[in-house]
Amino acid sequence: MDWLDAMNRAVDYLEANITEKLDIEKVAKIALSSTFHFQRMYHMMTGVTVAEYMRRRRLTLAAQDILSGKKIIDVAYRYGYETPEAFTKAFGKMHGISPSAAREPGANLKAYPKLSFHISIKGDKDMDYKIVNKESFTVTGKQRRITMVDGENFIQVPEFWDDCLKDGSYEWIGSKAGKLGLLGVSKDFGKDEFNYIVGVEEIKDTLPKGYVSTHIPAATWALFESVGALPEALTDVIRRIYSEWFPATGYQHDLGAPVLEVYPEGDKFSPDYRCEYWVPLKK
């Protein structure tokens, strides 16, 4: 339960510093995680990014401050808006009315509650996995630097796959696929960025311009199978890994190794399509 407690401590920290500039590195450290894994895990479990959670909570509390009689300009600055105009725009986007209209009797406002994490014990769906030790190997393919700011990674990674389809690199990489098939590799995690590779196991041919080869270290991996159309089926598996499997088993991420998505041949939009998600582990 240490992991679950750490996530709740991270939320408590966010709430205690709701009017301060978001320090995602510090929040991730409280959650016993890297910034990449914390942001990915948070989004998978809650459906919103950390930044979006903070925005909604600030605007929820801002509405309460306005109703209590505080000046709108003071409330705007308190919650990090540089101008009253920017605050009014954000307030209207969430609540559907202007800050001044919020003071009118009977005004409808929205409230986004503080989140908390807990394990939901259902017992109606097993989560199968395998633990595998794999020696180091090389992945070759196309690479792109992905940003995690405001959850952009959830947009940029699919766009990267689409770009590989359009420029022909997907077809070339796929023709070289080995036993594992096509791979999506997340690695080199920084504060707000990471490298993502669309590739395959080592290609012995001379690489065309624009392709890279990268070393994947030996690691212990947990392998989870996803059955169903992409990306929904895989997203559901990843969400369950973080919200159910990690808290239940006591394993932690090995942050020195990448996360792998393994895509065998087949119709990726079929309800029967099978792929795998590999998570590097430490006990």
Side-chain angles (χ1 to χ4, degrees):
M1 298 295 285
D2 289 345
W3 175 88
L4 205 61
D5 291 339
M7 288 296 291
N8 283 317
R9 286 197 299 271
V11 173
D12 289 341
Y13 174 84
L14 291 174
E15 290 289 328
N17 295 273
I18 198 72
T19 61
E20 305 298 323
K21 184 177 180 180
L22 175 61
D23 185 345
I24 194 64
E25 284 186 309
K26 185 168 185 177
V27 180
K29 186 177 292 186
I30 294 171
L32 307 178
S33 182
S34 69
T35 54
F36 169 80
H37 289 301
F38 173 71
Q39 291 184 96
R40 184 182 181 93
M41 178 167 49
Y42 193 96
H43 184 272
M44 288 297 176
M45 293 178 67
T46 67
V48 298
T49 64
V50 180
E52 177 63 14
Y53 172 77
M54 291 288 282
R55 187 188 72 82
R56 294 183 186 183
R57 287 291 296 141
R58 285 167 175 164
L59 289 170
T60 295
L61 297 175
Q64 296 176 17
D65 286 353
I66 289 172
L67 291 176
S68 70
K70 291 184 173 65
K71 293 181 179 179
I72 292 174
I73 189 171
D74 292 339
V75 175
Y77 292 145
R78 172 178 170 79
Y79 291 102
Y81 291 90
E82 295 183 355
T83 65
E85 292 76 18
F87 173 68
T88 297
K89 182 178 179 180
F91 191 94
K93 185 176 180 180
M94 175 168 168
H95 295 285
I97 57 176
S98 67
S100 57
R103 291 192 170 123
E104 297 296 326
N108 289 319
L109 296 167
K110 298 186 187 322
Y112 192 80
K114 174 188 173 183
L115 295 179
S116 62
F117 295 93
H118 61 90
I119 300 176
S120 178
I121 306 299
K122 296 180 180 179
D124 59 351
K125 191 175 182 181
D126 292 334
M127 193 163 194
D128 297 330
Y129 67 95
K130 295 185 291 186
I131 302 295
V132 175
N133 293 311
K134 185 174 176 59
E135 296 300 318
S136 63
F137 62 103
T138 300
V139 168
T140 301
K142 280 289 191 72
Q143 177 175 281
R144 180 173 293 179
R145 194 67 174 167
I146 303 295
T147 179
M148 294 178 286
V149 175
D150 294 334
E152 276 294 304
N153 50 305
F154 298 103
I155 298 172
Q156 292 183 4
V157 169
E159 286 180 346
F160 184 30
W161 280 94
D162 288 342
D163 290 344
C164 288
L165 277 169
K166 293 173 183 176
D167 66 18
S169 55
Y170 179 94
E171 183 177 356
W172 188 86
I173 294 170
S175 70
K176 308 294 182 181
K179 183 178 179 181
L180 286 180
L182 278 170
L183 302 173
V185 181
S186 300
K187 63 187 295 289
D188 304 328
F189 308 115
K191 177 183 177 181
D192 294 314
E193 296 181 320
F194 63 97
N195 284 329
Y196 187 87
I197 298 174
V198 175
V200 292
E201 290 179 272
E202 184 175 7
I203 298 173
K204 296 182 179 180
D205 300 352
T206 301
L207 296 182
K209 184 178 179 180
Y211 288 75
V212 301
S213 288
T214 188
H215 175 76
I216 307 298
T220 299
W221 309 80
L223 276 61
F224 301 87
E225 186 178 54
S226 166
V227 181
L230 297 179
E232 292 80 11
L234 182 59
T235 298
D236 183 60
V237 168
I238 296 172
R239 178 188 58 77
R240 294 191 65 210
I241 290 170
Y242 291 121
S243 63
E244 300 176 28
W245 189 82
F246 271 117
T249 61
Y251 281 106
Q252 294 182 14
H253 271 285
D254 178 356
L255 303 181
V259 176
L260 305 179
E261 303 152 24
V262 179
Y263 301 108
E265 288 187 15
D267 180 3
K268 295 177 176 57
F269 303 106
S270 166
D272 299 320
Y273 180 71
R274 295 175 181 268
C275 62
E276 292 178 338
Y277 191 75
W278 292 30
V279 185
L281 298 178
K282 63 181 179 180
K283 190 67 175 177

